[in-house]
Amino acid sequence: MAKMAIFYGSTSGITEEIATKIHEHFGEELCELFSMEEDFTSVDEMLEYDYLLFGCSTWGSGEVQNDWRDPLFEMEMDKPDFTGKTIALFGAGDYQNHGEQFVSALGTLYDHFKKLGATLVGEIPTDGYTYEYSFAVRDGKFIGLPIDEVNESDKTDERIATWLESVKPHLPSLETA
C-alpha cells in the first residue's frame, strides 16, 4: 500500500492547525503527521513516502517558515531524488498585512521539489482570494492551497475541502478516504 505523510512548519500555530485538519480527513491509518520542528530527522524520512503534503507559512519578504530553511539548504546541497513522489502544498498567509508576498513560500517549495523530480499537484484557481502578489501563482492558479486564517477564517474549511477534492485523484490508492 502507498504511504502518505504530511510535513509542516508552523511558527504561530496556524499551519499546524491546517495540517491537523487535513490529517484528520485522511486519518492516522492512511497518513502520518510530522512537525518539521519536533519530528523531522532527515530528508531520507520524506523519501520513505509515496505521497507528501507539505505545509509552510510565508515570512518576511516571501521566505519559507524557519523550520523549512535547513532541510531545503540540505536538499540544495545533496540533491535527493524525489522522482516518483507526488507532492501537494498548503500554506498560511495574511493578505492584509502581507498581500505583497501572499503565500509566496509555496512557490519556493514548488520550484525546489520540481527540480528534484517530484510531481506536484493541487493547484487551485485564484478566484475568491485577495492579495497583491504571490510567487505561488503560476499560469493564473495557486500551485497549492492558500489559507488566510487571520482575515478569512470563515472560508478555511470550504477551501480545504475543495483542495482535497482536487488532490485526491492524484492519490490513487487513497481516493476512497
Side-chain angles (χ1 to χ4, degrees):
M1 184 167 139
K3 293 173 62 176
M4 184 167 97
I6 299 169
F7 288 84
Y8 70 89
S10 189
T11 301
S12 65
I14 293 172
T15 306
E16 179 178 15
E17 288 174 21
I18 298 165
T20 301
K21 285 182 179 191
I22 293 169
H23 182 248
E24 287 171 356
H25 173 81
F26 288 110
E28 290 183 26
E29 60 280 349
L30 291 177
C31 181
E32 295 188 54
L33 183 64
F34 296 94
S35 162
M36 293 295 288
E37 179 183 30
E38 298 170 11
D39 307 316
F40 179 78
T41 56
S42 76
V43 173
D44 290 337
E45 185 174 41
M46 290 177 172
L47 292 169
E48 294 175 15
Y49 296 89
D50 304 295
Y51 305 113
L52 297 154
L53 286 78
F54 292 152
C56 183
S57 53
T58 300
W59 292 88
S61 58
E63 288 89 27
V64 296
Q65 189 268 348
N66 284 339
D67 299 331
W68 280 97
R69 290 186 181 158
D70 288 342
L72 289 180
F73 179 75
E74 177 187 328
M75 285 184 246
E76 197 65 37
M77 304 306 291
D78 297 341
K79 308 256 189 272
D81 186 4
F82 275 80
T83 303
K85 307 297 179 193
T86 300
I87 297 175
L89 306 171
F90 64 92
D94 174 346
Y95 85 82
Q96 283 188 351
N97 292 311
H98 303 288
E100 73 287 349
Q101 289 294 335
F102 183 63
V103 298
S104 285
L106 297 183
T108 300
L109 291 179
Y110 179 91
D111 288 348
H112 185 82
F113 287 100
K114 193 90 166 152
K115 279 191 237 174
L116 296 175
T119 299
L120 284 107
V121 300
E123 63 183 28
I124 62 168
T126 58
D127 302 344
Y129 286 91
T130 303
Y131 62 97
E132 292 173 43
Y133 171 80
S134 179
F135 185 59
V137 174
R138 309 291 164 88
D139 297 323
K141 294 184 177 184
F142 283 108
I143 47 76
L145 171 65
I147 296 290
D148 186 343
E149 194 67 4
V150 175
N151 304 295
E152 299 180 328
S153 61
D154 59 318
K155 297 178 182 180
T156 296
D157 290 338
E158 181 182 343
R159 286 176 171 168
I160 290 172
T162 300
W163 178 74
L164 285 170
E165 288 307 310
S166 78
V167 169
K168 278 185 178 182
H170 302 283
L171 312 175
S173 62
L174 304 173
E175 268 189 76
T176 58

